[in-house]
Amino acid sequence: MTRNISTDAWECRLMAGEFRRGVTSSLKVVPQRINNLQWANDCVGTWSEYGPCNQTCGGGVQTATYTIMHPATGDGAQCEAAAASTQARVCNTQQCAIDCNGAWSAWSDCSAACAGGSQTARFIIT
């Protein structure tokens, strides 16, 4: 008589001799691997901190990289990203300061001959 008892990853086969009156039988356990089953371990991975922005203004990019410390085995949960995957985000989106190039015009004539006239000058951007 043969009787099989299964656990998650191992099968124990119990083998016993015939049962007859007056005859003792022997019993032994034989462990066997079941169909290449493996223990299930979930993936362990993490994203790095975002690196520095590649621009100081006007919209740059920062990236983070995914590192896998322990890959999934068996039916374990896969990582959320592949090893060395990157994700990016926009940074330093404020407008850059603009250097104005130009020159001042000459002063205009006074608007009054005496007592309270005004003069103007304009900055002309080139």
Side-chain angles (χ1 to χ4, degrees):
M1 175 167 101
T2 299
R3 183 172 186 173
N4 294 328
I5 301 172
S6 296
T7 63
D8 287 338
W10 294 95
E11 176 183 282
C12 296
R13 181 167 290 162
L14 303 176
M15 293 178 279
E18 291 182 25
F19 291 97
R20 294 187 191 155
R21 190 177 291 177
V23 176
T24 58
S25 60
S26 62
L27 180 69
K28 64 181 178 176
V29 177
V30 180
Q32 293 179 336
R33 191 84 169 138
I34 296 178
N35 299 328
N36 296 322
L37 290 179
Q38 298 177 7
W39 296 107
N41 292 308
D42 292 345
C43 175
V44 177
T46 187
W47 286 100
S48 69
E49 295 293 322
Y50 280 94
C53 191
N54 66 346
Q55 299 292 327
T56 57
C57 60
V61 177
Q62 291 175 290
T63 58
T65 304
Y66 195 76
T67 301
I68 295 176
M69 280 77 78
H70 301 287
T73 59
D75 290 332
Q78 295 299 311
C79 286
E80 65 180 271
S85 293
T86 59
Q87 59 185 12
R89 69 179 180 188
V90 177
C91 55
N92 293 338
T93 58
Q94 74 278 9
Q95 289 185 346
C96 296
I98 298 173
D99 292 333
C100 287
N101 295 317
W104 285 98
S105 68
W107 287 100
S108 67
D109 293 334
C110 188
S111 62
C114 61
S118 64
Q119 289 180 295
T120 58
R122 298 188 187 267
F123 187 79
I124 300 168
I125 299 172
T126 55

